[in-house]
């Protein structure tokens, strides 16, 4: 209810009368799937402490960006997901403080950078408005429309130079185009028209729309997101780097009181080789291997697989047999393929029939089976 009421304050009335959530079986391949009145979610969100409620906030946000105003084609998919990430982070920052916006945006930037570096900065799927004629949408689906799209909208907000005024435009944009499917040109014409009329005189002449929309790679402008929560996560990652190089475990700090995003930020920054005895010490201190939080456990299992720690193998097999969310399954199978392809293929064949057909198809491609 707080997500809905905060969204209404930002972009206008919730028009779908009711909002229900249905938890689907573990084979559901996505975190959530928005529909008017009803959201489908993965059981991987159930942690017992509502730590992953941001996914519900994301699906609630789709009640305006996606369900109320949506893109005409898959090529403008960021009008759905990029705007939804922006609205989600606006809602969450209203509820949890302004720092949430920047910190979660930093985590999103990490995900985007990892994807772009993995498939290549010149790859066509890194274009924000890609040409998809003859392309399977499942192949092109990625973090790009979410996070590159989000950063494009943040950049436009910075060009406007006034967050409150930009939020007023967002409200007007939603109300102008509600119940319609639109294009990028529709959105940009409305934006520019809004801020160059009625006494407003924002200069968009220096915005390189082509670079943002039609060129591959990371965004052309690096955002200036800052967060003390990030600083603490980086500091802890550096402490463990020293431990991995032979330092004392006593140098590691506690993560008591840390939110999921901060723990994930720490794990994302453990991007250096970690000896197995250090992984054992890390798990003894933080109990990652027994975590009920799927986001944390996913990153921990990824780290262990990359560093060939045998202490996680049973947990990895169990995780992959229960969770079909592609955000987790595909990266884990790719990591395992790099260190032990035979085991990766064996686990996949054992669980293939349990997965949704989209997940099965994509993992099979990742493993070179199709």
């Amino acid at each position: 209810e707080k997500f809905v009421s905060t969204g209404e304050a930002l972009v206008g009335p919730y028009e779908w009368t009711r909002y229900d959530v249905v938890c689907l079986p573990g084979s559901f391949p996505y975190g959530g799937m928005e529909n008017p009145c009803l959201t489908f979610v993965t059981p991987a969100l159930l942690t017992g402490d509502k730590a992953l409620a941001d996914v519900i906030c994301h699906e609630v946000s789709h009640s305006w960006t996606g369900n109320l105003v949506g893109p005409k084609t898959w090529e403008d998919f960021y009008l759905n997901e990029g705007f939804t990430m922006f609205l989600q982070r606006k809602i969450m920052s209203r509820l949890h403080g302004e720092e949430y916006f920047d910190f979660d945006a930093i985590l999103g930037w990490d995900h985007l950078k990892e994807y772009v570096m993995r498939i290549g900065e010149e790859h066509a799927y890194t274009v924000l408005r890609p040409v998809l004629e003859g392309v399977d949408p499942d192949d092109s689906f990625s973090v790009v429309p979410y996070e590159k799209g989000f950063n494009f909208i943040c950049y436009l907000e910075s060009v406007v130079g006034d967050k409150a005024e930009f939020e007023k435009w967002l409200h007007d944009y939603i109300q102008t185009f509600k119940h319609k499917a639109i294009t990028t040109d529709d959105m940009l014409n409305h934006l520019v028209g809004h801020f160059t009329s009625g006494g407003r005189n924002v200069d968009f002449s220096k915005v390189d729309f082509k670079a943002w929309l039609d060129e591959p790679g990371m965004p052309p402008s690096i955002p200036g997101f800052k967060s003390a929560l990030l600083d603490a996560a980086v500091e802890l990652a550096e402490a463990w780097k020293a431990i991995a190089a032979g330092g004392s475990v006593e140098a590691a700090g506690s993560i008591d009181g840390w939110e999921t995003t901060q723990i994930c930020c720490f794990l994302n920054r453990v991007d250096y080789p970690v000896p197995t005895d250090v992984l054992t010490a890390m798990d003894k201190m933080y109990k990652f291997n027994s975590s009920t939080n799927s986001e944390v456990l996913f990153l921990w299992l990824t780290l262990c697989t990359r560093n060939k720690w045998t202490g996680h193998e049973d947990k990895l097999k169990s995780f992959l047999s229960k969770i079909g969310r592609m955000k987790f399954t595909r990266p884990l199978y790719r990591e395992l393929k790099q260190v032990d392809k035979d085991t990766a293929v064996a686990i996949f064949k054992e669980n293939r029939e349990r997965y949704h057909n989209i997940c099965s198809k994509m993992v099979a491609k990742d493993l070179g089976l199709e």
Side-chain angles (χ1 to χ4, degrees), residues 200-263:
R200 295 177 289 260
N201 192 28
V202 176
D203 183 9
F204 291 96
S205 63
K206 295 182 180 179
V207 177
D208 192 341
F209 290 109
K210 179 176 175 57
W212 273 101
L213 294 166
D214 302 320
E215 294 180 3
M218 293 295 286
S221 176
I222 298 175
F225 300 127
K226 296 179 180 180
S227 170
L229 297 173
L230 170 66
D231 296 340
V234 171
E235 182 179 344
L236 185 60
E238 289 299 311
W240 279 100
K241 186 174 185 179
I243 295 168
S248 172
V249 175
E250 294 179 359
S254 171
I255 59 171
D256 290 346
W258 283 27
E259 299 286 346
T260 297
T261 48
Q262 195 171 13
I263 297 172

Side-chain angles (χ1 to χ4, degrees), residues 56-278:
I56 300 298
C57 184
H58 182 87
E59 305 310 328
V60 168
S61 298
H62 272 306
S63 301
W64 294 276
T65 50
N67 291 342
L68 199 58
V69 179
K72 278 188 176 180
T73 73
W74 283 105
E75 294 178 353
D76 282 323
F77 189 44
Y78 81 93
L79 292 176
N80 184 322
E81 296 298 352
F83 271 92
T84 298
M85 292 305 304
F86 186 78
L87 180 55
Q88 169 197 328
R89 286 170 177 150
K90 286 285 186 180
I91 291 173
M92 294 296 281
S93 67
R94 290 289 199 281
L95 298 175
H96 299 289
E98 287 300 316
E99 188 176 23
Y100 178 94
F101 188 94
D102 277 22
F103 187 59
D104 198 62
I106 291 167
L107 198 62
W109 181 269
D110 287 348
H111 294 159
L112 177 62
K113 186 175 181 180
E114 185 279 328
Y115 175 78
V116 172
M117 295 301 103
R118 178 167 56 80
I119 71 167
E121 292 184 279
E122 297 301 317
H123 199 288
Y125 293 165
T126 67
V127 174
L128 185 56
R129 186 173 55 180
V131 177
L132 295 178
E133 184 175 356
V135 174
D136 185 336
D138 289 332
D139 290 334
S140 65
F141 181 83
S142 75
V143 70
V144 169
Y146 292 78
E147 298 296 349
K148 193 172 184 178
F150 164 79
N151 278 277
F152 178 45
I153 299 160
C154 286
Y155 173 73
L156 294 175
E157 183 183 57
S158 73
V159 172
V160 170
D162 187 318
K163 292 183 178 182
E165 288 300 315
F166 193 81
E167 288 176 6
K168 290 179 182 178
W169 167 77
L170 182 63
H171 181 283
D172 189 54
Y173 161 74
I174 295 296
Q175 296 307 310
T176 297
F177 292 112
K178 64 182 180 180
H179 305 300
K180 295 179 182 178
I182 65 171
T183 66
T184 290
D185 287 344
D186 293 327
M187 182 273 289
L188 289 179
N189 288 337
H190 185 273
L191 173 78
V192 174
H194 181 91
F195 285 109
T196 56
S197 63
R200 295 177 289 260
N201 192 28
V202 176
D203 183 9
F204 291 96
S205 63
K206 295 182 180 179
V207 177
D208 192 341
F209 290 109
K210 179 176 175 57
W212 273 101
L213 294 166
D214 302 320
E215 294 180 3
M218 293 295 286
S221 176
I222 298 175
F225 300 127
K226 296 179 180 180
S227 170
L229 297 173
L230 170 66
D231 296 340
V234 171
E235 182 179 344
L236 185 60
E238 289 299 311
W240 279 100
K241 186 174 185 179
I243 295 168
S248 172
V249 175
E250 294 179 359
S254 171
I255 59 171
D256 290 346
W258 283 27
E259 299 286 346
T260 297
T261 48
Q262 195 171 13
I263 297 172
C264 289
C265 195
F266 157 65
L267 288 170
N268 275 327
R269 279 160 175 74
V270 183
D271 55 0
Y272 41 80
V274 184
T276 56
D277 63 318
V278 175

